[in-house]
Amino acid sequence: MATTTLTPAASAYRTGLYEWLTTTDHKRIGILYIVNSFIFFFIGGLFALGVRTELAQPGLQFVHDELLYNQLFTMHGTVMIFLFIIPMLVGFGNYVAPLQIGAPDMAFPRINALSFWMLPLAGVLLLMGFLTGGAAQAGWTSYSPLAQDRPLSSTGPGEDLWIMALTLIGTSSILGGINFLVTIFKMRAPGMTMFRMPILVWTVLVTSVLVVMATPVLTSALIMLFIDRNYGGHFFDPGGPNGGGGSAILWQNVFWFYSHPAVYIMVLPAMGMISEILPVFSRKPLFGYKAFVFATAGIGALGFSVWAHHMFTTGQVFLPFFSLMTFLIAVPTGVKMFNWIFTLFRGKLTFSTPLLFALGFLSMFLIGGINGAFSAAVPVDFALQDTYWVVAHLHYVLFGGSVFGVMAGLYYWFPKMTGRMLNETLGKIQFVLMFVGFNLTFFPMHQLGLAGMPRRIADYASDAGWNDLNLAATIGGFTIAASTLPLIWNVFSSLRAGKPAGDDPWEANTLEWATSSPPPPYNFDHLPEIRSERPLFDLRHGRTVVH
Amino acid sequence: MATDTRALTSTGHGSVEHSPLGGLAHDARGGISNPILGMILFICSEVMFFSGLFAAYFSVRASYANWPKISADAGLNEHFNLHAEPFYALGLTIILVISSFTCQMGVSAIRRDDRTGLTRAIGVTLVLGIVFLIGQAYDYATLGFGLSDTPFGTTFYTLTGFHGAHVFGGAVMLSVILYRGLAGQFSSRHHDAVEAVSLYWHFVDVVWIALFSTLYIL
Ligand code: HEM
Ligand SMILES: [Cu+2]
């Protein structure tokens, strides 16, 4: 029985602007998330280009004012993390997860819409800092006493706007996490047992647990910082005009208690996405499904016990414990690497754009994991902490990992979302530009870090030996920027005249491909019987009886 | 807070029930309903929020040998010594604990389909909650120290203040329940909202007991 016969007759969508603004449909909200995140990706990217332009040469030639430079990298990091990568992955989860478990929508559709609309609002709040005398400038980590309201620190409303925006984004995340959990626990189609759920759904589940357990701790830290800054509180301010008596280390503990789990919030769903893509493009099942699930849960659990690896050099944390736990996380991560590699091994590979980006993820994330392991070794970290080595590491995992995963997911699910294929040639051009640009930008940062260049500086001595590497990184940065042009062109031209996708252009395995592209409201008229984690594969190969 | 709950409790099912898959999605799985599971998870997140505040409290406290008398000003230190006179706060504690019981009485009433019992019990709970809030405001006015008076003042007002805000949120939820109860919207089969709000109210109660023990006894 062909999958097309499962498709509901016609989709009953109305497509006016008003319908988009008031929608509670998980697919539309998912698309809103994705579009909104791309807008912030470009804004955050512009800040990064500002940073790279300034650093291309020694001297202050572009921003002229170090405080403005501080604002640029602070806003770059904050926008990329809180308004781009986290919401982007939530967007894919929102679109795909309910479809993959055969649900008609999320459990709480209106709360879903509320979670989304908090984000643009928070973005506007955050960026308003530039108009009110200076955006936040204490880095995305906002350490005290730098973040306190006092001379030579963050005076003015920029930092307060930063706090409010992050509180709003955190609330949005928490409501979204609860929504995902209830959806996954309660709304699965008949036959969709936990161990038949697609891997993406598993990663969304673990991510949501992290969101619900870790994000409120960040909220509490933000509120305490706000009280310190505005009502004369003494949580984090060790000294200064208010009298102090607080603990700067306390901020770091509370902040990283959230922000280490948050790095998994930023990467687990991307891992889930490539775990959907690799099997489809190598025509094999995922190698070691259960091992992957347990590794994901293991990463989530261990993620709560390593936060102080960001604080080795403070001398205030128990080094052996946190170092050991950090190395331990490499174990489940390594398990996943094996899952992916053995999925590819002897597969019938089709090198379409989604697979290329997924392979980009694999290789770049591997480098990011290895250079991270260096920093997990305490003595090494004492040398590398706060140098460009860390900047290299975090971009290899966040960009090389998550962003490449997002691109893979975009090329993979765009046909489902729009009914049209993206252009393969443009996709490959984008991949090559992005891959080359990415490595040209961030690989030299390893050497810069080893050569002692600190992060968060606007200027450096011309005889430090850092000139060429910085110039290379800047050229790479602009190459990355250029790689987004074929992407934008591709999206708009394909929306208009792309090849029609049909229900299941990739011959995929999971339920979202069992309905039309785009799916109708409430997703399915009929579902195939679910007997494994690959219901569509079963259907194609006659392993399922359709009643 | 209020809008959240209303959405959690009253709209949770909406679109699902109207969907072609409504029946399928509900499955034979049974178990707790979506709104109640949602509320339990929300309470988990709230527990973590208060854990952050408590962690800050204990961390700051651990760095002082003479806590809470950490001011250079002897008068302030007198005011800080909450252990000397815990009775007023103990009264507030008793009020809140009683309100948890009355709230639960409302839940068991509606489980028996007793709507009058529900509204009566929720009404009493709401009044007790408001009495608690007024009592706390009066306490704040007479304590004799402020938020910016040493880390003790900061932690004291932040912890109790955020708890008070949660009591307020709970009171708003109770008002919604009372209103909907009076409008006859609940029955023994349909009262997820009542169950969910009562869970929240118990949670707020438990946080206060932890706060009271920490600030006045420990
Ligand atoms: C166009 C691509 C990008 C370029 C050229 C770039 C460049 C940079 C540079 C040079 C810094 C260091 C600034 C300094 O320490 O003075 C930096 C910091 C950072 N970047 Fe990027 N970046 C890019 C994309 C991303 C993406 C996609 C993410 C996350 C998803 C990201 C997250 C961060 C974070 C968290 C920091 C630390 C900010 C801080 O120190 O507070 N970046 N970036
Ligand atoms: Cu970490």
Side-chain angles (χ1 to χ4, degrees):
Chain A
M1 185 180 185
T3 43
T4 34
T5 52
L6 295 166
T7 306
S11 94
Y13 270 124
R14 301 212 288 152
T15 51
L17 181 66
Y18 180 78
E19 276 77 24
W20 276 95
L21 295 183
T22 55
T23 185
T24 58
D25 178 293
H26 76 97
K27 299 181 290 299
R28 290 192 158 183
I29 293 175
I31 291 174
L32 285 175
Y33 263 106
I34 293 171
V35 170
N36 183 65
S37 306
F38 264 117
I39 292 172
F40 281 103
F41 182 48
F42 289 114
I43 296 175
L46 286 181
F47 294 148
L49 291 184
V51 164
R52 278 314 332 159
T53 307
E54 178 52 56
L55 293 177
Q57 302 268 300
L60 276 180
Q61 54 279 320
F62 181 64
V63 297
H64 298 296
D65 171 7
E66 275 126 334
L67 295 183
L68 181 58
Y69 182 85
N70 293 349
Q71 295 171 29
L72 281 183
F73 74 72
T74 301
M75 284 298 144
H76 163 66
T78 307
V79 166
M80 284 299 194
I81 285 182
F82 293 106
L83 287 162
F84 163 57
I85 200 71
I86 295 181
M88 178 64 97
L89 296 170
V90 173
F92 276 98
N94 232 300
Y95 193 98
V96 180
L99 282 165
Q100 285 193 329
I101 59 173
D105 205 322
M106 296 278 279
F108 307 114
R110 283 202 230 168
I111 291 191
N112 202 21
L114 177 70
S115 305
F116 168 73
W117 286 106
M118 287 175 165
L119 293 173
L121 180 64
V124 169
L125 268 182
L126 184 72
L127 297 176
M128 233 157 61
F130 284 110
L131 306 177
T132 57
Q137 39 180 305
W140 84 279
T141 51
S142 209
Y143 278 10
S144 254
L146 204 56
Q148 298 288 340
D149 188 13
R150 61 186 216 206
L152 298 181
S153 301
S154 303
T155 44
E159 179 75 19
D160 292 316
L161 289 168
W162 183 90
I163 296 174
M164 289 182 223
L166 259 63
T167 308
L168 214 56
I169 296 170
T171 309
S172 148
S173 285
I174 295 168
L175 294 178
I178 294 173
N179 214 339
F180 274 128
L181 288 174
V182 178
T183 306
I184 294 171
F185 285 133
K186 301 284 300 178
M187 311 261 297
R188 300 191 309 280
M192 179 60 73
T193 59
M194 292 299 271
F195 281 105
R196 289 180 192 159
M197 294 195 313
I199 292 289
L200 176 64
V201 179
W202 270 108
T203 55
V204 170
L205 188 152
V206 174
T207 303
S208 302
V209 172
L210 296 181
V211 165
V212 170
M213 302 304 283
T215 313
V217 179
L218 175 70
T219 309
S220 77
L222 292 168
I223 284 171
M224 291 188 266
L225 184 60
F226 196 82
I227 290 173
D228 267 14
R229 287 176 53 84
N230 295 289
Y231 307 111
H234 308 285
F235 283 108
F236 307 126
D237 194 357
N242 293 341
S247 158
I249 296 295
L250 173 62
W251 166 267
Q252 298 189 21
N253 273 310
V254 193
F255 177 82
W256 287 112
F257 184 86
Y258 161 76
S259 286
H260 188 85
V263 307
Y264 299 116
I265 296 172
M266 296 175 225
V267 81
L268 284 179
M271 291 175 163
M273 282 155 63
I274 71 155
S275 305
E276 297 300 316
I277 291 168
L278 292 176
V280 170
F281 290 88
S282 46
R283 315 303 316 151
K284 281 175 63 191
L286 183 78
F287 180 86
Y289 171 93
K290 281 208 176 161
F292 196 101
V293 170
F294 288 122
T296 306
I299 289 181
L302 283 174
F304 278 104
S305 59
V306 299
W307 77 88
H309 62 211
H310 298 273
M311 303 164 57
F312 284 156
T313 56
T314 60
Q316 300 279 316
V317 298
F318 188 52
L319 300 174
F321 173 79
F322 287 105
S323 178
L324 181 74
M325 295 311 279
T326 305
F327 280 115
L328 271 184
I329 288 203
V331 176
T333 314
V335 168
K336 292 188 171 194
M337 274 290 165
F338 280 110
N339 290 136
W340 291 323
I341 290 170
F342 281 101
T343 303
L344 290 167
F345 186 63
R346 293 207 170 149
K348 239 170 66 193
L349 302 188
T350 328
F351 287 94
S352 311
T353 314
L355 182 66
L356 292 181
F357 276 107
L359 294 176
F361 176 110
L362 279 191
S363 47
M364 297 300 99
F365 188 78
L366 181 64
I367 297 182
I370 292 173
N371 62 20
F374 280 82
S375 303
V378 175
V380 181
D381 186 66
F382 267 75
L384 298 177
Q385 195 251 348
D386 255 343
T387 68
Y388 258 84
W389 176 276
V390 175
V391 181
H393 160 66
L394 76 91
H395 286 90
Y396 267 87
V397 286
L398 280 177
F399 196 128
S402 307
V403 178
F404 278 64
V406 163
M407 292 300 160
L410 183 71
Y411 278 87
Y412 183 64
W413 279 296
F414 186 90
K416 180 51 59 183
M417 296 175 183
T418 65
R420 300 203 179 258
M421 308 295 286
L422 283 170
N423 180 295
E424 272 294 311
T425 317
L426 285 170
K428 282 173 181 150
I429 295 175
Q430 184 208 340
F431 172 74
V432 171
L433 276 176
M434 199 173 241
F435 190 82
V436 171
F438 168 76
N439 281 292
L440 186 58
T441 313
F442 296 108
F443 201 80
M445 292 188 188
H446 291 109
Q447 282 113 300
L448 283 173
L450 293 175
M453 178 167 167
R455 69 194 275 206
R456 297 176 175 171
I457 55 169
D459 189 10
Y460 48 90
S462 56
D463 57 0
W466 303 336
N467 300 5
D468 298 343
L469 291 169
N470 269 306
L471 186 61
T474 299
I475 295 171
F478 279 90
T479 314
I480 297 177
S483 79
T484 58
L485 298 179
L487 171 67
I488 298 172
W489 177 248
N490 201 349
V491 166
F492 283 102
S493 62
S494 302
L495 273 178
R496 213 168 276 199
K499 201 171 93 198
D503 295 355
D504 184 11
W506 312 114
E507 295 207 359
N509 302 323
T510 42
L511 287 180
E512 73 269 36
W513 307 102
T515 181
S516 61
S517 309
Y522 308 120
N523 300 343
F524 303 96
D525 266 359
H526 305 282
L527 283 167
E529 199 178 337
I530 300 158
R531 295 207 166 162
S532 74
E533 83 280 10
R534 297 193 297 162
L536 258 66
F537 179 89
D538 296 345
L539 192 65
R540 269 199 304 278
H541 296 266
R543 293 196 197 169
T544 305
V545 202
V546 179
H547 296 291
Chain B
M1 201 61 59
T3 37
D4 290 357
T5 329
R6 217 166 17 211
L8 266 174
T9 48
S10 63
T11 67
H13 282 306
S15 59
V16 176
E17 275 160 6
H18 300 155
S19 82
L21 272 204
L24 279 186
H26 280 261
D27 202 0
R29 212 169 287 121
I32 50 180
S33 70
N34 292 7
I36 295 179
L37 180 59
M39 179 55 91
I40 291 174
L41 291 166
F42 180 65
I43 290 175
C44 288
S45 81
E46 291 277 53
V47 168
M48 293 310 289
F49 173 79
F50 277 102
S51 304
L53 296 183
F54 270 96
Y57 171 86
F58 283 109
S59 154
V60 175
R61 175 176 175 155
S63 60
Y64 290 92
N66 48 344
W67 187 271
K69 302 182 182 176
I70 58 173
S71 176
D73 174 348
L76 268 184
N77 279 340
E78 268 324 296
H79 292 308
F80 285 169
N81 194 4
L82 302 176
H83 295 62
E85 282 176 57
F87 304 109
Y88 184 80
L90 185 64
L92 292 180
T93 312
I94 292 169
I95 289 175
L96 216 50
V97 171
I98 293 176
S99 81
S100 243
F101 280 100
T102 57
C103 188
Q104 198 55 35
M105 281 160 63
V107 174
S108 22
I110 196 62
R111 282 181 189 157
R112 291 189 313 266
D113 228 359
D114 172 3
R115 295 188 191 174
T116 337
L118 169 74
T119 44
R120 203 176 289 149
I122 295 296
V124 173
T125 313
L126 180 58
V127 170
L128 289 172
I130 293 170
V131 169
F132 175 89
L133 284 174
I134 295 172
Q136 196 181 30
Y138 177 76
D139 197 26
Y140 278 7
T142 52
L143 272 172
F145 63 92
L147 179 104
S148 57
D149 290 326
T150 81
F152 178 77
T154 309
T155 50
F156 175 86
Y157 281 104
T158 305
L159 268 86
T160 56
F162 269 91
H163 173 264
H166 282 74
V167 175
F168 181 78
V172 174
M173 293 181 198
L174 286 172
S175 315
V176 173
I177 295 297
L178 187 59
Y179 175 82
R180 292 184 57 192
L182 289 170
Q185 293 184 7
F186 299 119
S187 66
S188 59
R189 300 191 55 199
H190 280 281
H191 61 275
D192 282 345
V194 183
E195 302 266 355
V197 170
S198 85
L199 286 176
Y200 187 78
W201 193 255
H202 296 324
F203 156 74
V204 169
D205 191 13
V206 169
V207 172
W208 176 257
I209 293 173
L211 266 179
F212 175 74
S213 323
T214 309
L215 293 169
Y216 293 86
I217 300 176
L218 215 64

